[in-house]
Structures are given as C-alpha cells and as structure tokens.
Amino acid sequence: MPSAEAQNSAPVVTNVVAMQIPGTGNVRVTFDLADADGDSVVPNLVCSSDNGVNFDLVPVSVTGDVNKKVAPGTGKEIIWNAAADYPGRFWPQVVANVYAADGIAAGGEMVLVAAGSFPMGSASGEADELPVHTVTLDAFYLDKFKVTNGEFKQFIDAGGYSTQGLWSPAGWSWRTANAVSQPLFWGDPSYRSGPSYPGFPVIGVSWYEADAYARFVGKRLPTEAEWEKGARGTDGRTYPWGEGISGARANYSNSGDPYEFSLDQALITPVGFYDGRVDPPSGFVTTDSPGPYGTYDQAGNVWEWVGDWYQATYYASSPASNPPGPVTGINKVYRGGSWLLGISSLRSAERDGNAPTTRVKSVGLRLAMDAP
C-alpha cells in the first residue's frame, strides 16, 4: 500500500527573502530547503499584497526552484515576473510564502502518458459519449494512484485552507462563505476518512478543494481527455485492463471484496488495493489490473474530479488537439465510477459530474502534470 507518507518527515522552508530586482518588474525570492528524509522537494510560491494578512497573489510567471522537484539545500531561488501576472499593479511591500511538499504528495508516484492520438468516446455507451472522435494529446504525467487521506493531510497541516493564493476566486468565495476547513466526513471512521486511514482515498472534497490541493503539490487536475487516455490507452478498450470485469479487478456495488460486507457505511477500499496485493489477507486475492500506462483503480472505488466543465454535446465540437473542455458550465466532470454503483458506471468512457461545490462520499481525485 502506498501509505509511507504516514511516517514521512515534512520538508522545512526557512530564510525566505523577497526583493524586487531593480529596474524590472521581477521579484527574486530566495530560501533554504531542508528535508530529514533527504527526499526531493517541490517548492511552491504564494504572495501577499497586504503585508501577510492575506496571501492573495498567485505567481504564475515563475522560473527557478519552483513547481518541480529539487534537492534540499540552501540558496534556492525563484524569479517571479510580477509585472506580467499583474500589469499596472504596484505594492509597497510583497510578502512571500514558500511552502513545499515531498514524497507521494509531491508527485513521486506518477506515470508518463506518451504523446499521441486515441479514440475518445464510445458508440456503445451513453449519448454524451458520442461522437467517437480522434483526440491528439501532448505527453503528460498522471498520478499512479488516487490521492489519499495521508497525502491530503499535508495540505490541511500546511494551512492550505487558509492560503488564498491556492484557490480560484470562486473557490475562495465558497470556502470562506461556508467556513470550510477540511473535507466533509474528515475523521469519520464510517467513511474511512481522515488521518487514521492514510492509505484510503480522500473523499468529501469539492472540485474547488481538489483544485486548491493540486496547486499545493504543484500539479493540476487532468483534462477529461487526459483522464480517458490514461484509463483506456489507444485501443478503445472498455476498462483500464481491457474487456470484462469482476470483483477481483475493481470495487463496485456487490463486487464481493472484503470491504463489501463491512458494517461501515462507505464500502471504500484502500488505494492500490487492486494491484495483486492482499489487504486484508483473508482469502481474497485481487488481480493485477493496471491501466495501459500503469495507473491503478481508474475504474471504481471513488469517482475522480477532472478539470473540465461538463457539457453533454461537447464531443461534437471538441478541438482535435489537447481539448481543454467547455469554457463555462454548471457542473464539473468526474470520471471512473464508484463503490456505490454497478459495473456500467466503471466503463472508461462513462461521463458524469456535479456542481463544483459537491462534497460526497463517493468522489475523490487523481492529478496530472505537464511533461517537460
């Protein structure tokens, strides 16, 4: 089980100094990084325009030791082109906050999905899966596993819920209006949620929380097209492993796994459970069922948020290359099916979604990252 984060030492950022580079619109941020485990670390940057009261500035035009794995050490540097991100804005003082994540949460377990084309959609599914169309994607990385409670705890502990720069404007407005400070069901054993269950997928997170967490670890939510290619590959298969489905390959309603008949309310299985390892060792052996690029559990257990707005007819007008999804919408897409539903919802072409504020016991997330 990928649960080593429970024993992982968090990285430490010290000696953060932010100064404008004279004669430019750039800000140089220097800092030191330490990690007791010697792990590679992914630094991220948010800034404050009001002397640290609110971290309301989201640096996008950044270079240097940021949004990628770097070795611990002193004298790390980020250059932020503030003039490009906020043209015409001036502040008497900018306070920088550099935070870092390591281990699995920093992208240590991702798979490379090669560039190329694949057939997206299905002629044997629902109407919103039509027309089947060829999509070409650049190479990207996709999480090998769903995001776990143990990983999401790092976001909570680091103050992710109070760091405005990690949130979209709509997400921050929703979070503050509802005083949200942790996932719904967090700490409830009935849902195997919270730090006592580090190897189970995080649930009860809205799309807004998933989006903020992605920024925290220097990743992003996959597009709908990326998610489907990661699950199906290029041969149009029905499920990540190919054709046919059984309870030894995925967690769905009445699948018969050891958690199916638990007294708990939510019949969620651990992340990575369907990879050939037995958990618990009670006579039930799961089948080694990775997707075509090495991801696990893209079918069942909990749905996974993706970046796109949902539109039933989008496939008819979708761009042929790197489709970003509709510009606006009401609902955000999630993919992959869950323990609550039957096998039809686990098809890799199946589409569903809900409002970005939705927080339920059957939806989690998996993240992506651009390939260099």
Side-chain angles (χ1 to χ4, degrees), residues 349-363:
E350 173 81 7
R351 307 176 68 204
D352 208 336
N354 217 320
T357 57
T358 300
R359 312 171 86 205
V360 294
K361 58 188 178 183
S362 59
V363 178

Side-chain angles (χ1 to χ4, degrees), residues 322-343:
N322 299 311
V327 176
T328 61
I330 297 173
N331 294 330
K332 286 289 188 177
V333 177
Y334 45 66
R335 290 293 209 108
S338 81
W339 59 271
L340 269 173
L341 301 173
I343 58 175

